[in-house]
Structure formats: C-alpha cells, structure tokens
Amino acid sequence: MKKNHILNLLVLFLFANVFTAFTTLGNNPDDIVGTWLTAGDDNGKVEIFKSNGKYYGKIVWLKNPIRDGGIALDVNNPDKSKHKNPIIGLQIISSFVFNADENIWENGKIYDPESGKTYSCNIKKEGNKLKVRGYIGFSLLGRTEIWTKVN
C-alpha cells in the first residue's frame, strides 16, 4: 500500500510539472521580436526588437513609400522639427514590458504617423498574430489591429 501511495504521489508530481510546462509555452517575452505586417490598406512592416529589457519597434517597409512625389515623411507629427523624418526607419513602438501573468506586453506607447498621435498600447500574441490595441485612458476605449508575423 505504501508503494502505491508513493507511486501515486510521483505520478501526480510529474503530471503537475508537465502541465505547468505546457501552460507556460508561448509566454516567452521575446516571442514578440521579429518583423510584423501591419493591418490596413496602406500596410507596412514593423520590426520589433528588445533593448535594455524593453520592447521597441520601427517601420522597416511601406507598401506605398512614395507620397506627394517623394519619400513618405512624418508630416503629421505634432513636433514640426520631425516633419522631414522619413516614415521608413521611424520608431513607432516604445517601452513595452512583458507581463507573464497575463501573457501580454504592456505599459508601452504606439505612434500613428497617419494621425500624428501617440497612444497607450498593449500587445497580445496569438500564434503568428499580434493583437495591437491602442487606446486613450482605458483599454476599453481603443482600437485593435491584427498584425501578422513575416517569415
């Protein structure tokens, strides 16, 4: 009887460890690193990278890189000194940290060069997709875009 009890405890222990390993899959903070195709008609590609423990992203490709006869510039930025900055190379994602409990990247900002506005943002990864939610104030008051991983 004692051997069965020990065997049952061992099996239960192994099951708990295997279950924990499977439930934490996909919770790697660096899963967000890479190049992502944005949503919309005028989509682009954003490269997300890690620096000093936080996550950032910059535009590395645009479907329509030419506007008004020249390269697309950050003309809607509220800082007029940045109006001559090219959109390609522009950092639009900044200072995200990974929350392992909720499997979400949060406390970051996202800049929309189309409007010139910066929003609070959180990002959730599901498979090869990112749910990028920009908002003002509360996450409920915002918009979500789906970005797709580029191989």
Side-chain angles (χ1 to χ4, degrees), residues 41-106:
D41 295 331
D42 195 21
N43 56 4
K45 292 179 184 174
V46 175
E47 179 185 347
I48 298 178
F49 57 95
K50 185 176 184 179
S51 178
N52 296 321
K54 293 188 178 186
Y55 297 88
Y56 300 84
K58 63 182 178 180
I59 297 173
V60 294
W61 177 85
L62 287 174
K63 181 178 180 181
N64 297 312
I66 305 299
R67 299 202 181 131
D68 299 325
I71 62 169
L73 301 175
D74 192 15
V75 295
N76 295 318
N77 195 308
D79 181 347
K80 292 187 187 305
S81 71
K82 296 182 179 182
H83 285 193
K84 294 193 185 283
N85 291 347
I87 298 289
I88 294 178
L90 187 66
Q91 183 177 303
I92 64 165
I93 291 178
S94 59
S95 302
F96 281 82
V97 294
F98 183 67
N99 177 337
D101 293 336
E102 297 186 30
N103 195 30
I104 195 167
W105 290 262
E106 60 186 8

Side-chain angles (χ1 to χ4, degrees), residues 111-131:
Y111 173 69
D112 176 10
E114 292 297 316
S115 69
K117 295 183 180 176
T118 300
Y119 301 95
S120 297
C121 186
N122 61 45
I123 301 172
K124 184 158 182 73
K125 184 175 180 291
E126 294 179 357
N128 70 338
K129 307 271 186 207
L130 292 183
K131 288 185 173 182

